[in-house]
Amino acid sequence: MLNDRMERTFAMIKPDGVRRGLTAEILARIQRKGYRVVGLKQMVIPRETAEAHYGEHKERPFFGELVDFITGGPVVAIALEGENAIAGWRAMMGATNPANAAPGSIRADYATTVGENVTHGSDSPESAERELGLFFKPEELL
Ligand code: RTP
Ligand code: MG
C-alpha cells in the first residue's frame, strides 16, 4: 500500500520464552509474516540496561519484579524491519495481559500471566529508536 511506512522496531523474546524453548517458533512467525531480521543476539541483559529499557515504569509497584524477571535469564534481542513493523509486531504479540490477547496472537497462544508474557515490542517510533540504541550497536544492524 502507498501509505505503508518502512520501519524498524525492537522485539525481544523474554527469559520465559527462551527458557521454554519458544525461540524458533517465534522467529518462524516473524519470518512468515515477512519482517526482515536486521539484528539478532542471545544475551543476559545487564541490570542497568533493563532499568533504562523499562524506565517509563520506574514508579510502578511491579518495577523491581519486572527488572528481576527480564535480567533473570537469557533473552533474544531482535531488530525487525518491515512495513508498519512497530504496530504490526505489537499486533502479532497481542495485549500485555494474555487473558485479553487476541486469539492466535503470541501472548494468547503461549502465555498465561501478565508478568511472564513471552515477548516485548516497542510501542512507538521514539521507543523503537531508543530501545534499538540500547541493545544494538549501529554495526550490529545489517
Ligand atoms: P512490553 O513493554 O514488555 O512489550 O509490554 P507492553 O508494552 O505490552 O506492556 P507495558 O505496559 O510496557 O508493561 C511492561 C511489562 O511490565 C509487566 N507488567 N506487569 N503486574 C502488572 O500489572 C504488570 N503490568 C505490566 C508486563 O510483563 C509487561 O509486559
Ligand atoms: Mg511496553
Side-chain angles (χ1 to χ4, degrees):
M1 279 199 322
L2 281 173
N3 290 335
D4 281 351
R5 290 158 36 102
M6 196 50 87
E7 291 177 330
R8 283 187 172 185
T9 193
F10 177 63
M12 189 203 301
I13 306 173
K14 295 183 180 182
D16 56 326
V18 174
R19 191 180 309 122
R20 292 168 56 207
L22 298 175
T23 298
E25 177 70 30
I26 291 166
L27 285 170
R29 285 187 181 217
I30 287 170
Q31 296 194 302
R32 283 205 302 260
K33 171 73 175 175
Y35 295 141
R36 217 158 69 81
V37 174
V38 295
L40 180 71
K41 59 181 163 189
Q42 185 161 245
M43 63 188 285
V44 175
I45 307 180
R47 199 162 183 94
E48 275 189 326
T49 307
E51 287 172 352
H53 173 69
Y54 279 129
E56 63 174 309
H57 300 307
K58 220 174 23 236
E59 308 304 332
R60 310 280 287 278
F62 57 80
F63 183 69
E65 232 174 289
L66 177 58
V67 171
D68 288 346
F69 164 65
I70 209 74
T71 58
V75 304
V76 176
I78 309 164
L80 294 183
E81 184 178 83
E83 287 179 11
N84 298 309
I86 298 171
W89 170 239
R90 296 272 296 183
M92 286 178 69
M93 293 198 303
T96 307
N97 185 343
N100 303 326
S105 65
I106 290 168
R107 285 165 170 169
D109 285 354
Y110 300 120
T112 59
T113 68
V114 67
E116 302 199 1
N117 55 13
V118 184
T119 50
H120 164 78
S122 306
D123 60 12
S124 67
E126 296 70 32
S127 302
E129 195 179 332
R130 188 178 71 82
E131 294 170 2
L132 286 169
L134 267 176
F135 284 88
F136 290 100
K137 300 181 187 123
E139 64 269 25
E140 291 176 322
L141 299 180
L142 309 179

